[in-house]
Amino acid sequence: MTAIVRHAQAAKQKLGASTPVIEKDIMNLTQAELAPFDAVIDLSASNPAYLNVDSATKLVAMFRENKQTRLIFLVGSSSLIDANGESQLAHTLEKYAGEPWLDAPLEAMHKLQFLQMVDNVDWTVITPQDNITDGSATSYRLGQNQIMTAKNGQPEVSTGNLAAALIVELQTPTHIRQQFTVVND
């Protein structure tokens, strides 16, 4: 694993001093720099928010027709669907109309919609439930694109369970050109 980050020092503090790091903005990466990797995982949260879509389009353009490299994107829970078939984004827009931070969930939805049109790149979208909590990997359940709740009735996933589901997907790809979500059991 190699972390590609904007701030190497902060990454080394979180990931450990021995973690290989490339300090570079995603928009400045080249295909040659990413070609050695079996997978590229985009966990970026760019500001301004439209850069999230720009980074996805850049990665897709770099890996069209590539059979060796998987692209995995983290897309926020705004894209999840409730039991009535409505997106969480629709509810959020209604509740918080006019708030400046709404650009982030809107652009996340645009990123997913863009990826859903791409059929010649090996991409996967992983979407956590609404609440991400610190915690170890325990047991979890997977879904496709629906809001799910843990046994405690909350739509939550621990960082450990999110990471565990991501690792399983990397080792045994089952969501090629699909979105999937993770919830604590």
Side-chain angles (χ1 to χ4, degrees):
M1 176 190 83
T2 299
I4 302 171
V5 298
R6 287 174 283 201
H7 306 288
Q9 186 67 12
K12 289 217 177 245
Q13 287 175 346
K14 286 187 182 245
L15 302 172
S18 63
T19 302
V21 171
I22 297 172
E23 186 173 32
K24 201 164 197 181
D25 186 277
I26 192 169
M27 298 307 290
N28 296 322
L29 289 167
T30 66
Q31 185 173 19
E33 290 170 308
L34 297 176
F37 301 108
D38 295 331
V40 175
I41 304 168
D42 180 359
L43 304 175
S44 63
S46 299
N47 190 11
Y50 64 78
L51 289 176
N52 289 300
V53 176
D54 291 357
S55 66
T57 59
K58 178 180 175 97
L59 290 171
V60 164
M62 288 181 3
F63 290 97
R64 290 228 187 250
E65 306 295 339
N66 178 308
K67 306 288 187 218
Q68 291 79 37
T69 306
R70 291 191 68 201
L71 300 179
I72 298 183
F73 299 90
L74 180 76
V75 171
S77 63
S78 63
S79 64
L80 296 176
I81 306 297
D82 68 16
N84 297 321
E86 293 184 37
S87 73
Q88 187 159 295
L89 177 61
H91 298 294
T92 303
L93 290 173
E94 185 177 312
K95 185 174 181 179
Y96 299 102
E99 292 292 329
W101 56 264
L102 286 173
D103 287 350
L106 277 168
E107 293 300 329
M109 183 66 91
H110 294 157
K111 183 182 205 174
L112 175 63
Q113 291 167 336
F114 163 71
L115 290 166
Q116 288 171 330
M117 293 185 287
V118 175
D119 62 2
N120 61 351
V121 172
D122 182 358
W123 63 267
T124 297
V125 167
I126 184 169
T127 302
Q129 290 296 313
D130 198 32
N131 301 323
I132 303 173
T133 60
D134 285 334
S136 302
T138 56
S139 60
Y140 59 86
R141 290 177 284 125
L142 301 179
Q144 186 176 4
N145 65 344
Q146 64 274 34
I147 297 171
M148 300 169 65
T149 57
K151 287 180 181 174
N152 67 4
Q154 297 299 309
E156 67 185 19
V157 63
S158 69
T159 53
N161 283 338
L162 185 62
L166 178 60
I167 290 167
V168 168
E169 180 64 27
L170 284 167
Q171 294 171 337
T172 311
T174 56
H175 298 93
I176 305 299
R177 288 187 281 288
Q178 296 176 30
Q179 176 186 23
F180 76 102
T181 186
V182 187
V183 67
N184 291 343
D185 199 16

